[in-house]
Amino acid sequence: MSPTLASAPGSCCFSGVKHTGTPVGRVEDLGGIPTYISDPPVPTQKVILFLADVWGPLFVNNKLIQDYFASCGYIVLGPDYFFGDSVPNHLPDRDRQAWIDNSRKPAIDAFPAWLDAVKGRYGRENIKYCAVGYCFGAPFVLDLCSDGSVVAGALAHPAFLDESHFEKLDGPLLLSCAEEDHTFPLASRRRAEDIMVARKCTYHFQVFSGVKHGFAVRCDPAIDMQRWAKEESARGIVSWFDRFTV
């Protein structure tokens, strides 16, 4: 088996601060998966596939991030591959590990039909697809960046990755990382970079001091460093995608 670089979600993935705001998107069925859809101010041929963390795309924090990406000129699509059974249903302490173990296969199995439905609806030609994955969503992005499904990808504090994901990477990849991350620690981050350097991949790292795993979704906005890192992560992801969707 390929050595693990980003491990399974841990206890901190089940905690964080709930943000405030009024989401403007809607939920529709796409390919059998409830999907959060946030539209840009004007029509576009640029799409972001939003592959959520264990809190799911319908958690208010994630809705607000998706709305931000949409405000920057992208159609944003967030599949609820947890089918309504994301982490908020398993707090404070209910069967966390069992939930993680039981959630991966249904999500993985459902994703291809969802992606096919997305491309059937939004187009297969002349559409610039990008993908961003937070924690649980990271391996979906690496796969999409390896088979030509997207023009660029981004990860924030990833989980469930091993060396083989990077050894087959083909498309451009941004990695938005926390200084302290039990799931994707410094040694793993450096090993991932070594692989990408050796393969001459197109990549970019953001590394934020003073924050931990989950910062890009569930930071405490009352703490300036955390709020800035979360917002700068999102800005950096948009800037990265803008490079490849002109």
Side-chain angles (χ1 to χ4, degrees), residues 64-235:
L64 295 173
I65 296 170
Q66 290 171 89
D67 290 346
Y68 168 72
F69 290 153
S71 76
C72 295
Y74 291 82
I75 300 166
V76 185
L77 308 173
D80 181 16
Y81 35 48
F82 303 119
F83 299 95
D85 190 35
S86 57
V87 154
N89 292 351
H90 296 265
L91 300 176
D93 296 309
R94 211 182 90 204
D95 58 17
R96 294 178 180 179
Q97 190 57 52
W99 176 83
I100 292 173
D101 293 342
N102 293 331
S103 295
R104 290 192 69 199
K105 188 176 188 302
I108 292 168
D109 289 347
F111 188 76
W114 178 83
L115 183 62
D116 189 61
V118 166
K119 295 200 171 184
R121 176 168 175 173
Y122 292 94
R124 301 178 187 276
E125 304 292 336
N126 303 316
I127 303 295
K128 300 290 183 69
Y129 289 97
C130 303
V132 58
Y134 295 80
C135 188
F136 186 99
F140 294 97
V141 173
L142 265 294
D143 289 342
L144 293 167
C145 284
S146 299
D147 67 10
S149 294
V150 297
V151 298
L155 309 177
H157 37 80
F160 294 128
L161 297 180
D162 56 38
E163 290 190 2
S164 68
H165 284 103
F166 293 94
E167 289 165 350
K168 64 183 181 181
L169 177 64
D170 185 49
L173 182 68
L174 177 145
L175 299 93
S176 189
C177 303
E179 177 183 42
E180 183 179 341
D181 190 338
H182 70 284
T183 299
F184 192 51
L186 176 60
S188 291
R189 191 167 76 229
R190 288 177 172 168
R191 177 57 184 151
E193 183 174 5
D194 286 344
I195 295 171
M196 291 187 289
V197 168
R199 299 189 64 254
K200 301 187 183 302
C201 296
T202 299
Y203 70 93
H204 175 65
F205 276 96
Q206 296 175 308
V207 183
F208 296 95
S209 62
V211 295
K212 299 180 180 181
H213 182 94
F215 77 94
V217 174
R218 302 180 309 281
C219 75
D220 185 345
I223 299 174
D224 181 70
M225 179 173 285
Q226 293 188 24
R227 182 181 66 254
W228 180 84
K230 182 256 185 187
E231 293 174 352
E232 186 64 20
S233 172
R235 285 190 291 264

